[in-house]
Amino acid sequence: MAQVSDVADNQPPRTKTLRIARFNPTKDNEKQFMEFSVPVEKWTTVLETILDVKQHHDHSVGVRYSCRQATCGSCGMIINGKPRLACFTKVSELDSDVVTVEPMNNFPIIRDLAVKFERLFDTHHKIKPYLDRDDTELESDAKEFLQSPEELEQYIQFANCIKCGLCNSACPTMATDSSFVGPQALAQAYRYVADSRDKGKDSRLKIIDDSHGIWRCHFAGSCSQVCPKGVDPAMGIQLLRGYMLGFRS
Amino acid sequence: MAQDEHKEGIKGMANPGRYGIERVAYWLMRLSGLGLLAYFIGHIYETSNILRGRVGWNEFLELTQTTEGHIVLAIVIAMCVFHTVNGIRVMLGHGGVGVGKPARPDYPYDPASQNYRHKIGIYSAIILAAIAMMYGLAVMFGE
């Protein structure tokens, strides 16, 4: 029986072309693309090819990453035209000999593939992403805020958000409106509004009840299509509108 | 290159590709909205010609009796039908109707809000717009 290593040794090494967008806002006026030939296997991720470039070709490529398992949300970028996590995207699934990586749209560029997240975190903080109530678990007789499985189902999907920013990058409204709160923050607003333990619904709805808030969303759905964790911000935003319009209580 | 925000701008907003039929519907909705706005302004100008009397009015109406005029009117019919049908779909969605219920997502995470009901709504809007446009062309050119 052939060993895995024997099979791998007999396979000719496959290579793909990795096009990396290079841009330094302090020096450059235009984004330039640099091409590298990188070895790939069936399981090679886009992040691994970028790290291969940094290790063997050009260590100055600017990229942010951390967990390498689609949990930290650091390595979001535009891969072959769509916002994706580089650690969660295999080169083999792109079905292309050329892999183009660019920084996420709608985020200011720090350098090359790394972008600033200040605005995303600002809007995230703006919607009060925590349970808003007067008492705490420590004051409760039960020492915890009890919740039924049905109540948990109302928001648990939206608690999966890893703040990667891919939804904001794909959003057509964010492409033109600098003041729009964005699908990430709105989905998180729904997450807390729908939480039966939360008592801050009215104040949270007041924050997003703005012409650049929830009413700016046009339900294009691109945010949900690119979410790597199945959060479905488009659904959250529309359900949140149900609260705003009085269809939900 | 303005990298302060690195926004895609109008080009990114208008690009109907990459994100499926929902983004195409979003693009067509905006395009038909702008088209109908342009038609509305033109229509007000057109009807204001009645102040020029019967002859002036008839002269202006002859503009729409040309091949180009018929094609423009047929496109207006299509835009009107698409904008209406898709607008109803979007309004229902905005009220939380037909966007699914929150649930624990299972990989590969098909978003519930992009479900078949909305896709049927989008395709219906496109098909009805095409039928209405063809009917309009048949009436205008069939005379």
Side-chain angles (χ1 to χ4, degrees), chain A residues 23 29 81-83 88 103-109 152-154 157 160 170 172 174-175 178 190 218-222 225-226 228 230 232 235 238 241 247, chain B residues 1 3-10 12-13 18-20 22-23 26 30 89-90 93-96 99-105 107 109 111-114 118:
Chain A
F23 179 77
N29 293 321
K82 279 184 83 169
F88 196 47
M104 280 197 292
N105 295 313
N106 310 330
F107 287 84
I109 298 173
L152 180 70
E153 288 283 309
Q154 291 299 310
Q157 173 178 13
N160 284 352
M174 293 220 80
S178 302
Y190 174 79
H218 296 282
F219 194 22
S222 309
Q225 289 173 20
V226 300
D232 202 348
M235 182 212 280
Q238 312 321 316
R241 277 186 170 135
F247 299 149
Chain B
M1 185 177 179
Q3 292 297 333
D4 292 348
E5 295 184 88
H6 189 232
K7 290 197 173 300
E8 280 191 288
I10 300 286
M13 186 200 76
R18 298 186 292 178
Y19 299 109
E22 288 82 7
R23 192 66 171 257
Y26 166 83
R30 301 221 124 185
R89 175 191 75 84
V90 172
H94 284 180
V99 293
K101 286 196 294 188
R104 289 173 192 270
Y107 191 78
Y109 305 138
S113 63
Q114 319 288 291
H118 279 277

Side-chain angles (χ1 to χ4, degrees), chain B residues 61-124:
Chain B
L61 270 193
E62 278 175 16
L63 273 178
T64 61
Q65 302 305 314
T66 60
T67 305
E68 294 81 7
H70 287 345
I71 289 170
V72 168
L73 287 177
I75 291 170
V76 169
I77 292 168
M79 288 194 298
C80 197
V81 172
F82 178 83
H83 205 82
T84 305
V85 178
N86 192 55
I88 291 168
R89 175 191 75 84
V90 172
M91 278 198 291
L92 288 172
H94 284 180
V97 178
V99 293
K101 286 196 294 188
R104 289 173 192 270
D106 288 322
Y107 191 78
Y109 305 138
D110 289 327
S113 63
Q114 319 288 291
N115 57 40
Y116 73 94
R117 287 187 293 267
H118 279 277
K119 288 189 198 302
I120 287 173
I122 295 167
Y123 286 119
S124 300

Side-chain angles (χ1 to χ4, degrees), chain A residues 11-200:
Chain A
Q11 297 275 339
R14 293 197 313 134
T15 61
K16 299 258 182 182
T17 301
L18 181 66
R19 293 178 76 235
I20 301 180
R22 307 300 304 270
F23 179 77
N24 184 341
T26 59
K27 286 193 232 164
D28 303 330
N29 293 321
E30 290 266 331
K31 202 159 52 179
Q32 304 282 340
F33 283 93
M34 290 180 75
E35 292 190 359
F36 302 93
S37 184
V38 288
V40 293
E41 301 287 354
K42 194 168 61 178
W43 50 84
T44 305
T45 64
V46 173
L47 179 62
E48 285 169 338
T49 63
I50 297 168
L51 296 179
D52 185 272
V53 167
K54 279 177 75 72
Q55 189 176 1
H56 296 112
H57 302 283
D58 185 349
H59 67 273
S60 70
V61 172
V63 60
R64 182 196 281 121
Y65 68 98
S66 183
C67 74
R68 310 188 196 200
Q69 54 185 9
T71 302
C72 73
S74 297
C75 64
M77 58 185 75
I78 306 288
I79 300 171
N80 280 9
K82 279 184 83 169
R84 308 173 210 249
L85 290 180
C87 70
F88 196 47
T89 307
K90 292 192 189 76
V91 173
S92 55
E93 73 191 29
L94 293 171
D95 200 22
S96 168
D97 288 332
V98 179
V99 178
T100 303
V101 289
E102 301 168 79
M104 280 197 292
N105 295 313
N106 310 330
F107 287 84
I109 298 173
I110 298 172
R111 190 163 60 80
D112 300 339
L113 304 171
V115 294
K116 289 182 190 167
F117 271 76
E118 276 83 351
R119 185 146 181 275
L120 183 138
F121 292 138
D122 283 349
T123 51
H124 183 70
H125 290 153
K126 193 177 162 187
I127 56 98
K128 303 205 278 188
Y130 43 80
L131 293 184
D132 189 5
R133 51 190 294 154
D134 294 331
D135 59 340
T136 70
E137 293 101 322
L138 296 175
E139 294 164 347
S140 165
D141 289 340
K143 303 297 179 198
E144 58 191 327
F145 297 137
L146 296 176
Q147 197 166 50
S148 70
E150 291 74 26
E151 288 170 331
L152 180 70
E153 288 283 309
Q154 291 299 310
Y155 72 87
I156 192 67
Q157 173 178 13
F158 300 90
N160 284 352
C161 177
I162 56 172
K163 290 96 187 163
C164 61
L166 296 184
C167 53
N168 282 11
S169 181
C171 175
T173 305
M174 293 220 80
T176 52
D177 185 353
S178 302
S179 306
F180 180 45
V181 175
Q184 189 277 332
L186 290 172
Q188 290 311 290
Y190 174 79
R191 179 255 175 271
Y192 288 97
V193 166
D195 193 327
S196 60
R197 300 166 298 175
D198 184 72
K199 304 293 177 199

